[in-house]
């Protein structure tokens, strides 16, 4: 099982904060550093303010050398697909081919209102067309052009440049919808992510995605299956309680919904996810100043679930 570090910078973080976490992620042996793509805090004052996801990843691309870098997930409402394809391809070049794109339809209306970003009531069509365009631009051979005529976007004779370093940038699609999201993942994704699902629902929800792959004529095993859960672990009960208080969460609730508790409890929870079909876990780190937290997981948990 791969363990990835997942951050929520809209809650309040500078680029330097994120750089410190990314460097620790790399030095401690985790697989990847990912971040959310949001512009408004979801509780608290959010100071010193948000950072842009792809600007952040561009910087980290030049300041790391091994870890994968990506979004969980970028919103289709934030950027035009042609622009996003250029941004992601450029960051892939800057990183030497370590970028992954998580893309979703967007859900947080308040951040759109706050920053003047249009938020249409129906967004699934936007997401589907963006996936068609972005993957189409990347796959167009050099010297040829790409055109697209959709309901939401139209492209005419795009040169489809620049090209990413990777022959195929991994695309992550996630969600808990029963039909449309699994079908979209079967069509476009290299990874399906199940974010913050109840633990007893993980296996049946992943089975829906496998069924969608079969229906689409795709080998279900060609898709990577991942989950995301909040991380809060202590070397002992007192340390766990301290870390839970630092992120404003109750210990019992964290144990029920997260990778949380003592080292043994967190290890068992990850083992249960693996039995449910999860191959990769995004550990949502809420206290970005607590790098000892990452060190504990790397030393005491990762060796037993890898």
């Amino acid at each position: 099982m791969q363990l990835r570090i997942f951050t929520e910078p809209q809650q309040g973080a500078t680029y330097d904060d994120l750089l410190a976490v990314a460097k620790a992620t790399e030095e401690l042996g985790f697989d990847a550093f990912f971040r959310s793509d949001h512009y408004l805090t979801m509780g608290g004052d959010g100071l010193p303010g948000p950072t842009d996801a792809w600007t952040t990843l561009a910087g980290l691309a030049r300041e790391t050398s091994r870890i994968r870098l990506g979004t969980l997930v970028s919103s289709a409402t934030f950027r035009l697909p042609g622009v996003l394809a250029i941004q992601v391809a450029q960051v892939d070049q800057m990183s030497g081919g370590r970028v992954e794109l998580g893309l979703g339809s967007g859900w947080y209306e308040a951040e759109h209102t706050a920053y003047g970003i249009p938020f249409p009531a129906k967004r699934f069509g936007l997401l589907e067309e963006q996936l068609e365009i972005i993957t189409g631009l990347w796959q167009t051979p050099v010297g040829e052009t790409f055109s697209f005529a959709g309901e939401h976007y139209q492209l005419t004779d795009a040169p489809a440049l620049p090209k990413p370093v990777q022959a195929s940038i991994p695309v992550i699609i996630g969600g808990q919808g029963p039909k449309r999201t699994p079908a979209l993942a079967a069509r476009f994704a290299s990874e399906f992510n199940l974010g913050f699902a109840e633990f007893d629902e993980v296996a049946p929800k992943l089975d829906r995605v496998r069924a969608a792959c079969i229906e689409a004529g795709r080998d279900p095993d060609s898709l990577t299956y991942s989950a995301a859960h909040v991380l809060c672990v202590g070397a002992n009960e007192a340390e766990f309680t301290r870390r839970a208080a630092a992120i404003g969460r109750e210990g019992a609730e964290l144990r029920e919904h997260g990778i949380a508790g003592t080292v043994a409890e967190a290890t068992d929870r990850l083992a249960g996810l693996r039995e449910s079909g999860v191959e990769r876990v995004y550990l949502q780190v809420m206290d970005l100043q607590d790098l000892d937290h990452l060190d504990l997981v790397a030393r005491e948990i990762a060796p037993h679930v890898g």
Side-chain angles (χ1 to χ4, degrees), residues 176 194 196-205 227-230 253-260 265-266 268-276 278 281:
Q176 300 194 37
L194 192 57
F196 311 102
E198 299 295 335
F199 289 106
D200 60 357
E201 295 179 358
V202 171
K205 288 181 182 293
H229 291 279
V230 65
E253 178 267 327
L254 282 167
R255 280 187 160 106
E256 181 179 357
H257 298 290
I259 310 300
E265 288 175 302
D268 288 345
R269 183 65 86 184
L270 288 167
L273 284 171
R274 182 168 54 197
E275 292 174 3
S276 297
V278 174
V281 177

Side-chain angles (χ1 to χ4, degrees), residues 6-13 18 34-43 46 49-57 70-79 102-112 114-115 117 119 123 196 284 286:
F6 170 42
T7 61
E8 301 276 5
Q10 76 278 356
Q11 297 302 98
L18 297 171
F34 269 61
R35 59 157 293 162
S36 60
D37 193 354
H38 285 293
Y39 292 124
L40 194 67
T41 184
M42 299 166 194
T51 50
D52 179 77
W54 287 100
T55 303
T56 297
L57 295 175
T71 52
L72 200 67
V73 294
S74 288
S75 172
T77 57
F78 285 175
R79 303 166 183 89
L103 189 62
S105 60
W107 63 271
Y108 191 23
E109 185 173 5
E111 69 186 337
H112 294 75
Y115 284 98
I117 303 169
F119 188 73
R123 300 177 301 283
F196 311 102
Q284 185 193 45
M286 300 305 296

